[in-house]
PDB file of all heavy atoms in Angstrom:
ATOM      1  N   GLN A 195     -26.213  16.584  85.599  1.00 93.00           N
ATOM      2  CA  GLN A 195     -26.599  15.933  84.347  1.00 93.00           C
ATOM      3  C   GLN A 195     -27.412  16.858  83.440  1.00 93.00           C
ATOM      4  O   GLN A 195     -27.098  16.996  82.248  1.00 93.00           O
ATOM      5  CB  GLN A 195     -27.384  14.658  84.645  1.00 93.00           C
ATOM      6  CG  GLN A 195     -27.867  13.902  83.418  1.00 93.00           C
ATOM      7  CD  GLN A 195     -26.760  13.126  82.724  1.00 93.00           C
ATOM      8  OE1 GLN A 195     -26.007  12.407  83.376  1.00 93.00           O
ATOM      9  NE2 GLN A 195     -26.654  13.276  81.423  1.00 93.00           N
ATOM     10  N   PRO A 196     -28.452  17.546  83.932  1.00 92.00           N
ATOM     11  CA  PRO A 196     -29.197  18.457  83.044  1.00 92.00           C
ATOM     12  C   PRO A 196     -28.334  19.589  82.499  1.00 92.00           C
ATOM     13  O   PRO A 196     -28.459  19.961  81.312  1.00 92.00           O
ATOM     14  CB  PRO A 196     -30.318  18.996  83.939  1.00 92.00           C
ATOM     15  CG  PRO A 196     -30.471  17.975  85.023  1.00 92.00           C
ATOM     16  CD  PRO A 196     -29.087  17.460  85.268  1.00 92.00           C
ATOM     17  N   ALA A 197     -27.459  20.143  83.341  1.00 91.00           N
ATOM     18  CA  ALA A 197     -26.590  21.227  82.883  1.00 91.00           C
ATOM     19  C   ALA A 197     -25.618  20.734  81.816  1.00 91.00           C
ATOM     20  O   ALA A 197     -25.329  21.449  80.841  1.00 91.00           O
ATOM     21  CB  ALA A 197     -25.831  21.824  84.057  1.00 91.00           C
ATOM     22  N   ALA A 198     -25.098  19.514  81.982  1.00 93.00           N
ATOM     23  CA  ALA A 198     -24.182  18.958  80.992  1.00 93.00           C
ATOM     24  C   ALA A 198     -24.893  18.745  79.657  1.00 93.00           C
ATOM     25  O   ALA A 198     -24.327  19.019  78.583  1.00 93.00           O
ATOM     26  CB  ALA A 198     -23.603  17.644  81.507  1.00 93.00           C
ATOM     27  N   GLU A 199     -26.124  18.283  79.704  1.00 94.00           N
ATOM     28  CA  GLU A 199     -26.886  18.085  78.473  1.00 94.00           C
ATOM     29  C   GLU A 199     -27.176  19.418  77.790  1.00 94.00           C
ATOM     30  O   GLU A 199     -27.108  19.519  76.552  1.00 94.00           O
ATOM     31  CB  GLU A 199     -28.184  17.353  78.793  1.00 94.00           C
ATOM     32  CG  GLU A 199     -27.963  15.911  79.266  1.00 94.00           C
ATOM     33  CD  GLU A 199     -29.245  15.244  79.725  1.00 94.00           C
ATOM     34  OE1 GLU A 199     -30.301  15.942  79.770  1.00 94.00           O
ATOM     35  OE2 GLU A 199     -29.215  14.043  80.039  1.00 94.00           O
ATOM     36  N   ALA A 200     -27.474  20.440  78.580  1.00 93.00           N
ATOM     37  CA  ALA A 200     -27.719  21.767  78.008  1.00 93.00           C
ATOM     38  C   ALA A 200     -26.455  22.337  77.383  1.00 93.00           C
ATOM     39  O   ALA A 200     -26.505  23.007  76.340  1.00 93.00           O
ATOM     40  CB  ALA A 200     -28.253  22.702  79.089  1.00 93.00           C
ATOM     41  N   LEU A 201     -25.320  22.087  78.017  1.00 94.00           N
ATOM     42  CA  LEU A 201     -24.036  22.543  77.495  1.00 94.00           C
ATOM     43  C   LEU A 201     -23.758  21.924  76.131  1.00 94.00           C
ATOM     44  O   LEU A 201     -23.374  22.623  75.184  1.00 94.00           O
ATOM     45  CB  LEU A 201     -22.935  22.171  78.486  1.00 94.00           C
ATOM     46  CG  LEU A 201     -21.482  22.347  78.051  1.00 94.00           C
ATOM     47  CD1 LEU A 201     -21.174  23.805  77.790  1.00 94.00           C
ATOM     48  CD2 LEU A 201     -20.541  21.791  79.118  1.00 94.00           C
ATOM     49  N   VAL A 202     -23.954  20.620  76.020  1.00 95.00           N
ATOM     50  CA  VAL A 202     -23.727  19.933  74.750  1.00 95.00           C
ATOM     51  C   VAL A 202     -24.689  20.458  73.686  1.00 95.00           C
ATOM     52  O   VAL A 202     -24.305  20.682  72.527  1.00 95.00           O
ATOM     53  CB  VAL A 202     -23.873  18.414  74.942  1.00 95.00           C
ATOM     54  CG1 VAL A 202     -23.822  17.706  73.587  1.00 95.00           C
ATOM     55  CG2 VAL A 202     -22.787  17.881  75.868  1.00 95.00           C
ATOM     56  N   ALA A 203     -25.934  20.676  74.069  1.00 96.00           N
ATOM     57  CA  ALA A 203     -26.915  21.189  73.109  1.00 96.00           C
ATOM     58  C   ALA A 203     -26.536  22.583  72.627  1.00 96.00           C
ATOM     59  O   ALA A 203     -26.673  22.910  71.443  1.00 96.00           O
ATOM     60  CB  ALA A 203     -28.303  21.206  73.737  1.00 96.00           C
ATOM     61  N   ARG A 204     -26.062  23.423  73.537  1.00 96.00           N
ATOM     62  CA  ARG A 204     -25.675  24.783  73.173  1.00 96.00           C
ATOM     63  C   ARG A 204     -24.499  24.779  72.192  1.00 96.00           C
ATOM     64  O   ARG A 204     -24.458  25.585  71.251  1.00 96.00           O
ATOM     65  CB  ARG A 204     -25.284  25.566  74.439  1.00 96.00           C
ATOM     66  CG  ARG A 204     -24.766  26.966  74.190  1.00 96.00           C
ATOM     67  CD  ARG A 204     -25.866  27.930  73.831  1.00 96.00           C
ATOM     68  NE  ARG A 204     -25.366  29.272  73.584  1.00 96.00           N
ATOM     69  CZ  ARG A 204     -26.117  30.361  73.579  1.00 96.00           C
ATOM     70  NH1 ARG A 204     -27.406  30.279  73.825  1.00 96.00           N
ATOM     71  NH2 ARG A 204     -25.593  31.552  73.328  1.00 96.00           N
ATOM     72  N   ALA A 205     -23.558  23.876  72.400  1.00 97.00           N
ATOM     73  CA  ALA A 205     -22.407  23.812  71.497  1.00 97.00           C
ATOM     74  C   ALA A 205     -22.803  23.359  70.104  1.00 97.00           C
ATOM     75  O   ALA A 205     -22.130  23.687  69.118  1.00 97.00           O
ATOM     76  CB  ALA A 205     -21.349  22.876  72.071  1.00 97.00           C
ATOM     77  N   ALA A 206     -23.860  22.596  70.001  1.00 96.00           N
ATOM     78  CA  ALA A 206     -24.412  22.180  68.701  1.00 96.00           C
ATOM     79  C   ALA A 206     -23.371  21.518  67.804  1.00 96.00           C
ATOM     80  O   ALA A 206     -23.265  21.826  66.604  1.00 96.00           O
ATOM     81  CB  ALA A 206     -25.022  23.397  67.995  1.00 96.00           C
ATOM     82  N   GLY A 207     -22.597  20.615  68.393  1.00 96.00           N
ATOM     83  CA  GLY A 207     -21.629  19.860  67.610  1.00 96.00           C
ATOM     84  C   GLY A 207     -20.297  20.544  67.391  1.00 96.00           C
ATOM     85  O   GLY A 207     -19.381  19.958  66.811  1.00 96.00           O
ATOM     86  N   ARG A 208     -20.161  21.779  67.845  1.00 97.00           N
ATOM     87  CA  ARG A 208     -18.900  22.501  67.673  1.00 97.00           C
ATOM     88  C   ARG A 208     -17.913  22.127  68.772  1.00 97.00           C
ATOM     89  O   ARG A 208     -18.291  21.941  69.924  1.00 97.00           O
ATOM     90  CB  ARG A 208     -19.136  24.007  67.691  1.00 97.00           C
ATOM     91  CG  ARG A 208     -19.960  24.533  66.533  1.00 97.00           C
ATOM     92  CD  ARG A 208     -20.375  25.973  66.745  1.00 97.00           C
ATOM     93  NE  ARG A 208     -21.297  26.102  67.883  1.00 97.00           N
ATOM     94  CZ  ARG A 208     -21.847  27.241  68.273  1.00 97.00           C
ATOM     95  NH1 ARG A 208     -21.567  28.369  67.616  1.00 97.00           N
ATOM     96  NH2 ARG A 208     -22.670  27.271  69.304  1.00 97.00           N
ATOM     97  N   ALA A 209     -16.655  22.035  68.417  1.00 98.00           N
ATOM     98  CA  ALA A 209     -15.615  21.848  69.418  1.00 98.00           C
ATOM     99  C   ALA A 209     -15.418  23.153  70.186  1.00 98.00           C
ATOM    100  O   ALA A 209     -15.795  24.235  69.722  1.00 98.00           O
ATOM    101  CB  ALA A 209     -14.306  21.425  68.755  1.00 98.00           C
ATOM    102  N   PHE A 210     -14.798  23.063  71.348  1.00 98.00           N
ATOM    103  CA  PHE A 210     -14.589  24.226  72.201  1.00 98.00           C
ATOM    104  C   PHE A 210     -13.871  25.350  71.462  1.00 98.00           C
ATOM    105  O   PHE A 210     -14.258  26.516  71.553  1.00 98.00           O
ATOM    106  CB  PHE A 210     -13.795  23.802  73.440  1.00 98.00           C
ATOM    107  CG  PHE A 210     -13.531  24.899  74.420  1.00 98.00           C
ATOM    108  CD1 PHE A 210     -14.537  25.373  75.244  1.00 98.00           C
ATOM    109  CD2 PHE A 210     -12.266  25.461  74.527  1.00 98.00           C
ATOM    110  CE1 PHE A 210     -14.295  26.395  76.154  1.00 98.00           C
ATOM    111  CE2 PHE A 210     -12.018  26.478  75.434  1.00 98.00           C
ATOM    112  CZ  PHE A 210     -13.031  26.942  76.250  1.00 98.00           C
ATOM    113  N   TRP A 211     -12.824  24.998  70.718  1.00 98.00           N
ATOM    114  CA  TRP A 211     -12.039  26.014  70.019  1.00 98.00           C
ATOM    115  C   TRP A 211     -12.754  26.569  68.795  1.00 98.00           C
ATOM    116  O   TRP A 211     -12.310  27.547  68.210  1.00 98.00           O
ATOM    117  CB  TRP A 211     -10.672  25.444  69.636  1.00 98.00           C
ATOM    118  CG  TRP A 211     -10.731  24.184  68.834  1.00 98.00           C
ATOM    119  CD1 TRP A 211     -10.786  24.064  67.482  1.00 98.00           C
ATOM    120  CD2 TRP A 211     -10.769  22.846  69.357  1.00 98.00           C
ATOM    121  NE1 TRP A 211     -10.844  22.743  67.113  1.00 98.00           N
ATOM    122  CE2 TRP A 211     -10.829  21.968  68.250  1.00 98.00           C
ATOM    123  CE3 TRP A 211     -10.747  22.314  70.644  1.00 98.00           C
ATOM    124  CZ2 TRP A 211     -10.874  20.588  68.399  1.00 98.00           C
ATOM    125  CZ3 TRP A 211     -10.788  20.938  70.798  1.00 98.00           C
ATOM    126  CH2 TRP A 211     -10.854  20.086  69.697  1.00 98.00           C
ATOM    127  N   GLU A 212     -13.852  25.959  68.392  1.00 98.00           N
ATOM    128  CA  GLU A 212     -14.629  26.453  67.258  1.00 98.00           C
ATOM    129  C   GLU A 212     -15.727  27.419  67.686  1.00 98.00           C
ATOM    130  O   GLU A 212     -16.369  28.046  66.832  1.00 98.00           O
ATOM    131  CB  GLU A 212     -15.263  25.279  66.513  1.00 98.00           C
ATOM    132  CG  GLU A 212     -14.251  24.355  65.859  1.00 98.00           C
ATOM    133  CD  GLU A 212     -14.869  23.088  65.293  1.00 98.00           C
ATOM    134  OE1 GLU A 212     -15.983  22.731  65.737  1.00 98.00           O
ATOM    135  OE2 GLU A 212     -14.247  22.475  64.409  1.00 98.00           O
ATOM    136  N   LEU A 213     -15.933  27.543  68.972  1.00 97.00           N
ATOM    137  CA  LEU A 213     -16.987  28.433  69.467  1.00 97.00           C
ATOM    138  C   LEU A 213     -16.597  29.894  69.261  1.00 97.00           C
ATOM    139  O   LEU A 213     -15.426  30.262  69.385  1.00 97.00           O
ATOM    140  CB  LEU A 213     -17.225  28.179  70.961  1.00 97.00           C
ATOM    141  CG  LEU A 213     -17.724  26.786  71.351  1.00 97.00           C
ATOM    142  CD1 LEU A 213     -17.688  26.627  72.868  1.00 97.00           C
ATOM    143  CD2 LEU A 213     -19.133  26.550  70.818  1.00 97.00           C
ATOM    144  N   PRO A 214     -17.563  30.757  68.967  1.00 97.00           N
ATOM    145  CA  PRO A 214     -17.254  32.185  68.869  1.00 97.00           C
ATOM    146  C   PRO A 214     -16.901  32.755  70.235  1.00 97.00           C
ATOM    147  O   PRO A 214     -17.272  32.207  71.275  1.00 97.00           O
ATOM    148  CB  PRO A 214     -18.548  32.790  68.325  1.00 97.00           C
ATOM    149  CG  PRO A 214     -19.613  31.836  68.722  1.00 97.00           C
ATOM    150  CD  PRO A 214     -18.993  30.466  68.691  1.00 97.00           C
ATOM    151  N   ASP A 215     -16.177  33.867  70.234  1.00 96.00           N
ATOM    152  CA  ASP A 215     -15.734  34.478  71.481  1.00 96.00           C
ATOM    153  C   ASP A 215     -16.902  34.811  72.411  1.00 96.00           C
ATOM    154  O   ASP A 215     -16.765  34.764  73.643  1.00 96.00           O
ATOM    155  CB  ASP A 215     -14.943  35.761  71.183  1.00 96.00           C
ATOM    156  CG  ASP A 215     -13.636  35.478  70.455  1.00 96.00           C
ATOM    157  OD1 ASP A 215     -13.186  34.311  70.468  1.00 96.00           O
ATOM    158  OD2 ASP A 215     -13.075  36.423  69.861  1.00 96.00           O
ATOM    159  N   GLU A 216     -18.059  35.133  71.839  1.00 96.00           N
ATOM    160  CA  GLU A 216     -19.208  35.529  72.649  1.00 96.00           C
ATOM    161  C   GLU A 216     -19.663  34.412  73.590  1.00 96.00           C
ATOM    162  O   GLU A 216     -20.260  34.673  74.636  1.00 96.00           O
ATOM    163  CB  GLU A 216     -20.374  35.939  71.751  1.00 96.00           C
ATOM    164  CG  GLU A 216     -20.157  37.229  70.974  1.00 96.00           C
ATOM    165  CD  GLU A 216     -19.212  37.065  69.800  1.00 96.00           C
ATOM    166  OE1 GLU A 216     -18.929  35.892  69.409  1.00 96.00           O
ATOM    167  OE2 GLU A 216     -18.740  38.091  69.253  1.00 96.00           O
ATOM    168  N   GLU A 217     -19.355  33.165  73.226  1.00 96.00           N
ATOM    169  CA  GLU A 217     -19.756  32.045  74.081  1.00 96.00           C
ATOM    170  C   GLU A 217     -18.944  31.970  75.365  1.00 96.00           C
ATOM    171  O   GLU A 217     -19.315  31.276  76.304  1.00 96.00           O
ATOM    172  CB  GLU A 217     -19.633  30.723  73.310  1.00 96.00           C
ATOM    173  CG  GLU A 217     -20.712  30.503  72.276  1.00 96.00           C
ATOM    174  CD  GLU A 217     -22.097  30.304  72.896  1.00 96.00           C
ATOM    175  OE1 GLU A 217     -22.196  29.707  73.991  1.00 96.00           O
ATOM    176  OE2 GLU A 217     -23.087  30.742  72.278  1.00 96.00           O
ATOM    177  N   LEU A 218     -17.827  32.682  75.415  1.00 96.00           N
ATOM    178  CA  LEU A 218     -16.989  32.686  76.616  1.00 96.00           C
ATOM    179  C   LEU A 218     -16.917  34.077  77.232  1.00 96.00           C
ATOM    180  O   LEU A 218     -15.969  34.401  77.955  1.00 96.00           O
ATOM    181  CB  LEU A 218     -15.573  32.192  76.278  1.00 96.00           C
ATOM    182  CG  LEU A 218     -15.347  30.681  76.112  1.00 96.00           C
ATOM    183  CD1 LEU A 218     -15.756  29.926  77.363  1.00 96.00           C
ATOM    184  CD2 LEU A 218     -16.006  30.123  74.879  1.00 96.00           C
ATOM    185  N   SER A 219     -17.930  34.902  76.956  1.00 96.00           N
ATOM    186  CA  SER A 219     -17.973  36.264  77.475  1.00 96.00           C
ATOM    187  C   SER A 219     -19.254  36.471  78.281  1.00 96.00           C
ATOM    188  O   SER A 219     -20.319  35.965  77.916  1.00 96.00           O
ATOM    189  CB  SER A 219     -17.924  37.274  76.326  1.00 96.00           C
ATOM    190  OG  SER A 219     -18.185  38.586  76.779  1.00 96.00           O
ATOM    191  N   VAL A 220     -19.136  37.247  79.360  1.00 94.00           N
ATOM    192  CA  VAL A 220     -20.327  37.549  80.158  1.00 94.00           C
ATOM    193  C   VAL A 220     -21.303  38.413  79.370  1.00 94.00           C
ATOM    194  O   VAL A 220     -22.497  38.472  79.702  1.00 94.00           O
ATOM    195  CB  VAL A 220     -19.944  38.254  81.478  1.00 94.00           C
ATOM    196  CG1 VAL A 220     -19.120  37.340  82.367  1.00 94.00           C
ATOM    197  CG2 VAL A 220     -19.198  39.568  81.216  1.00 94.00           C
ATOM    198  N   LEU A 221     -20.817  39.072  78.322  1.00 93.00           N
ATOM    199  CA  LEU A 221     -21.689  39.927  77.525  1.00 93.00           C
ATOM    200  C   LEU A 221     -22.715  39.114  76.738  1.00 93.00           C
ATOM    201  O   LEU A 221     -23.740  39.653  76.320  1.00 93.00           O
ATOM    202  CB  LEU A 221     -20.853  40.788  76.568  1.00 93.00           C
ATOM    203  CG  LEU A 221     -19.846  41.743  77.235  1.00 93.00           C
ATOM    204  CD1 LEU A 221     -19.058  42.486  76.167  1.00 93.00           C
ATOM    205  CD2 LEU A 221     -20.560  42.710  78.160  1.00 93.00           C
ATOM    206  N   GLY A 222     -22.415  37.833  76.521  1.00 92.00           N
ATOM    207  CA  GLY A 222     -23.352  37.001  75.789  1.00 92.00           C
ATOM    208  C   GLY A 222     -24.301  36.211  76.667  1.00 92.00           C
ATOM    209  O   GLY A 222     -25.165  35.500  76.154  1.00 92.00           O
ATOM    210  N   GLU A 223     -24.136  36.312  77.969  1.00 90.00           N
ATOM    211  CA  GLU A 223     -24.975  35.540  78.889  1.00 90.00           C
ATOM    212  C   GLU A 223     -26.365  36.156  79.008  1.00 90.00           C
ATOM    213  O   GLU A 223     -26.551  37.334  78.706  1.00 90.00           O
ATOM    214  CB  GLU A 223     -24.277  35.483  80.251  1.00 90.00           C
ATOM    215  CG  GLU A 223     -22.955  34.735  80.215  1.00 90.00           C
ATOM    216  CD  GLU A 223     -22.296  34.661  81.586  1.00 90.00           C
ATOM    217  OE1 GLU A 223     -22.949  35.006  82.601  1.00 90.00           O
ATOM    218  OE2 GLU A 223     -21.130  34.246  81.652  1.00 90.00           O
ATOM    219  N   PRO A 224     -27.319  35.326  79.446  1.00 92.00           N
ATOM    220  CA  PRO A 224     -27.202  33.949  79.946  1.00 92.00           C
ATOM    221  C   PRO A 224     -27.278  32.927  78.833  1.00 92.00           C
ATOM    222  O   PRO A 224     -27.493  33.261  77.668  1.00 92.00           O
ATOM    223  CB  PRO A 224     -28.420  33.837  80.867  1.00 92.00           C
ATOM    224  CG  PRO A 224     -29.444  34.707  80.202  1.00 92.00           C
ATOM    225  CD  PRO A 224     -28.682  35.872  79.623  1.00 92.00           C
ATOM    226  N   GLY A 225     -27.098  31.670  79.218  1.00 91.00           N
ATOM    227  CA  GLY A 225     -27.265  30.562  78.288  1.00 91.00           C
ATOM    228  C   GLY A 225     -26.055  30.187  77.482  1.00 91.00           C
ATOM    229  O   GLY A 225     -26.129  29.287  76.640  1.00 91.00           O
ATOM    230  N   THR A 226     -24.910  30.840  77.702  1.00 95.00           N
ATOM    231  CA  THR A 226     -23.728  30.546  76.906  1.00 95.00           C
ATOM    232  C   THR A 226     -23.001  29.308  77.431  1.00 95.00           C
ATOM    233  O   THR A 226     -23.230  28.847  78.555  1.00 95.00           O
ATOM    234  CB  THR A 226     -22.748  31.726  76.940  1.00 95.00           C
ATOM    235  OG1 THR A 226     -22.320  31.930  78.295  1.00 95.00           O
ATOM    236  CG2 THR A 226     -23.384  32.993  76.405  1.00 95.00           C
ATOM    237  N   VAL A 227     -22.082  28.806  76.602  1.00 95.00           N
ATOM    238  CA  VAL A 227     -21.235  27.699  77.026  1.00 95.00           C
ATOM    239  C   VAL A 227     -20.383  28.123  78.223  1.00 95.00           C
ATOM    240  O   VAL A 227     -20.201  27.364  79.177  1.00 95.00           O
ATOM    241  CB  VAL A 227     -20.341  27.225  75.864  1.00 95.00           C
ATOM    242  CG1 VAL A 227     -19.239  26.283  76.375  1.00 95.00           C
ATOM    243  CG2 VAL A 227     -21.180  26.540  74.793  1.00 95.00           C
ATOM    244  N   GLY A 228     -19.870  29.336  78.187  1.00 94.00           N
ATOM    245  CA  GLY A 228     -19.050  29.818  79.301  1.00 94.00           C
ATOM    246  C   GLY A 228     -19.808  29.858  80.608  1.00 94.00           C
ATOM    247  O   GLY A 228     -19.276  29.482  81.657  1.00 94.00           O
ATOM    248  N   ALA A 229     -21.047  30.308  80.566  1.00 93.00           N
ATOM    249  CA  ALA A 229     -21.854  30.346  81.783  1.00 93.00           C
ATOM    250  C   ALA A 229     -22.115  28.938  82.308  1.00 93.00           C
ATOM    251  O   ALA A 229     -22.075  28.686  83.519  1.00 93.00           O
ATOM    252  CB  ALA A 229     -23.173  31.057  81.509  1.00 93.00           C
ATOM    253  N   ALA A 230     -22.351  27.999  81.398  1.00 92.00           N
ATOM    254  CA  ALA A 230     -22.586  26.613  81.809  1.00 92.00           C
ATOM    255  C   ALA A 230     -21.340  26.015  82.446  1.00 92.00           C
ATOM    256  O   ALA A 230     -21.409  25.318  83.461  1.00 92.00           O
ATOM    257  CB  ALA A 230     -23.023  25.784  80.612  1.00 92.00           C
ATOM    258  N   LEU A 231     -20.170  26.289  81.860  1.00 92.00           N
ATOM    259  CA  LEU A 231     -18.928  25.768  82.425  1.00 92.00           C
ATOM    260  C   LEU A 231     -18.668  26.361  83.812  1.00 92.00           C
ATOM    261  O   LEU A 231     -18.229  25.656  84.724  1.00 92.00           O
ATOM    262  CB  LEU A 231     -17.760  26.082  81.487  1.00 92.00           C
ATOM    263  CG  LEU A 231     -17.752  25.328  80.155  1.00 92.00           C
ATOM    264  CD1 LEU A 231     -16.662  25.872  79.248  1.00 92.00           C
ATOM    265  CD2 LEU A 231     -17.555  23.838  80.384  1.00 92.00           C
ATOM    266  N   ARG A 232     -18.926  27.635  83.953  1.00 89.00           N
ATOM    267  CA  ARG A 232     -18.734  28.270  85.259  1.00 89.00           C
ATOM    268  C   ARG A 232     -19.658  27.644  86.300  1.00 89.00           C
ATOM    269  O   ARG A 232     -19.283  27.480  87.461  1.00 89.00           O
ATOM    270  CB  ARG A 232     -18.990  29.775  85.153  1.00 89.00           C
ATOM    271  CG  ARG A 232     -18.607  30.544  86.424  1.00 89.00           C
ATOM    272  CD  ARG A 232     -18.762  32.044  86.224  1.00 89.00           C
ATOM    273  NE  ARG A 232     -20.149  32.440  86.031  1.00 89.00           N
ATOM    274  CZ  ARG A 232     -20.634  32.967  84.903  1.00 89.00           C
ATOM    275  NH1 ARG A 232     -19.848  33.174  83.871  1.00 89.00           N
ATOM    276  NH2 ARG A 232     -21.905  33.303  84.805  1.00 89.00           N
ATOM    277  N   GLY A 233     -20.835  27.269  85.887  1.00 84.00           N
ATOM    278  CA  GLY A 233     -21.774  26.660  86.817  1.00 84.00           C
ATOM    279  C   GLY A 233     -21.354  25.286  87.291  1.00 84.00           C
ATOM    280  O   GLY A 233     -21.839  24.807  88.321  1.00 84.00           O
ATOM    281  N   LEU A 234     -20.434  24.637  86.560  1.00 82.00           N
ATOM    282  CA  LEU A 234     -19.963  23.319  86.982  1.00 82.00           C
ATOM    283  C   LEU A 234     -18.978  23.404  88.135  1.00 82.00           C
ATOM    284  O   LEU A 234     -18.699  22.398  88.790  1.00 82.00           O
ATOM    285  CB  LEU A 234     -19.287  22.603  85.805  1.00 82.00           C
ATOM    286  CG  LEU A 234     -20.186  22.294  84.608  1.00 82.00           C
ATOM    287  CD1 LEU A 234     -19.366  21.683  83.491  1.00 82.00           C
ATOM    288  CD2 LEU A 234     -21.321  21.367  85.008  1.00 82.00           C
ATOM    289  N   GLY A 235     -18.465  24.589  88.395  1.00 67.00           N
ATOM    290  CA  GLY A 235     -17.519  24.761  89.495  1.00 67.00           C
ATOM    291  C   GLY A 235     -16.243  25.402  89.015  1.00 67.00           C
ATOM    292  O   GLY A 235     -15.418  24.757  88.371  1.00 67.00           O
ATOM    293  N   GLU A 236     -16.078  26.675  89.283  1.00 57.00           N
ATOM    294  CA  GLU A 236     -14.905  27.410  88.824  1.00 57.00           C
ATOM    295  C   GLU A 236     -13.651  27.034  89.595  1.00 57.00           C
ATOM    296  O   GLU A 236     -12.633  26.635  89.045  1.00 57.00           O
ATOM    297  CB  GLU A 236     -15.168  28.916  88.959  1.00 57.00           C
ATOM    298  CG  GLU A 236     -13.964  29.795  88.601  1.00 57.00           C
ATOM    299  CD  GLU A 236     -13.697  29.815  87.121  1.00 57.00           C
ATOM    300  OE1 GLU A 236     -14.470  30.404  86.372  1.00 57.00           O
ATOM    301  OE2 GLU A 236     -12.690  29.214  86.719  1.00 57.00           O
ATOM    302  N   LEU A 237     -13.706  27.125  90.898  1.00 54.00           N
ATOM    303  CA  LEU A 237     -12.527  26.831  91.695  1.00 54.00           C
ATOM    304  C   LEU A 237     -12.280  25.329  91.738  1.00 54.00           C
ATOM    305  O   LEU A 237     -13.229  24.542  91.837  1.00 54.00           O
ATOM    306  CB  LEU A 237     -12.686  27.368  93.123  1.00 54.00           C
ATOM    307  CG  LEU A 237     -12.677  28.889  93.262  1.00 54.00           C
ATOM    308  CD1 LEU A 237     -13.016  29.288  94.691  1.00 54.00           C
ATOM    309  CD2 LEU A 237     -11.326  29.463  92.879  1.00 54.00           C
ATOM    310  N   PRO A 238     -11.025  24.923  91.670  1.00 52.00           N
ATOM    311  CA  PRO A 238     -10.731  23.482  91.632  1.00 52.00           C
ATOM    312  C   PRO A 238     -10.770  22.834  93.011  1.00 52.00           C
ATOM    313  O   PRO A 238      -9.790  22.234  93.456  1.00 52.00           O
ATOM    314  CB  PRO A 238      -9.317  23.449  91.037  1.00 52.00           C
ATOM    315  CG  PRO A 238      -8.704  24.733  91.498  1.00 52.00           C
ATOM    316  CD  PRO A 238      -9.829  25.745  91.479  1.00 52.00           C
ATOM    317  N   ASP A 239     -11.881  22.949  93.713  1.00 65.00           N
ATOM    318  CA  ASP A 239     -12.019  22.205  94.962  1.00 65.00           C
ATOM    319  C   ASP A 239     -12.223  20.737  94.611  1.00 65.00           C
ATOM    320  O   ASP A 239     -12.364  20.371  93.452  1.00 65.00           O
ATOM    321  CB  ASP A 239     -13.174  22.743  95.810  1.00 65.00           C
ATOM    322  CG  ASP A 239     -14.514  22.692  95.097  1.00 65.00           C
ATOM    323  OD1 ASP A 239     -14.710  21.804  94.252  1.00 65.00           O
ATOM    324  OD2 ASP A 239     -15.367  23.549  95.378  1.00 65.00           O
ATOM    325  N   GLN A 240     -12.231  19.879  95.616  1.00 71.00           N
ATOM    326  CA  GLN A 240     -12.229  18.446  95.345  1.00 71.00           C
ATOM    327  C   GLN A 240     -13.411  18.016  94.497  1.00 71.00           C
ATOM    328  O   GLN A 240     -13.245  17.361  93.460  1.00 71.00           O
ATOM    329  CB  GLN A 240     -12.225  17.667  96.660  1.00 71.00           C
ATOM    330  CG  GLN A 240     -12.295  16.155  96.461  1.00 71.00           C
ATOM    331  CD  GLN A 240     -11.995  15.393  97.714  1.00 71.00           C
ATOM    332  OE1 GLN A 240     -10.850  15.299  98.115  1.00 71.00           O
ATOM    333  NE2 GLN A 240     -13.016  14.841  98.341  1.00 71.00           N
TER     334      GLN A 240
END
C-alpha cells in the first residue's frame, strides 16, 4: 500500500505513456516509477 501510494504520487497525474523515458530507466533511479513497479514484483509468480 505505501509503495502504491508513492507510485501514484510520483506519476503526478500522468498516464504511463506520458511519462518521460527517464522514469523507466535505471539511470534515473532511485525514486522513479520504473523502480516502484519493479519493487511490486518483476517475475510473474503467483
Side-chain angles (χ1 to χ4, degrees):
Q195 179 76 48
E199 293 174 355
L201 170 64
V202 172
R204 176 75 180 198
R208 295 169 294 182
F210 181 75
W211 55 90
E212 295 172 339
L213 297 171
D215 294 343
E216 291 75 14
E217 286 293 325
L218 282 302
S219 170
V220 296
L221 299 178
E223 296 181 11
T226 62
V227 167
L231 291 172
R232 189 175 66 245
L234 297 176
E236 176 72 71
L237 291 173
D239 59 30
Q240 177 168 285

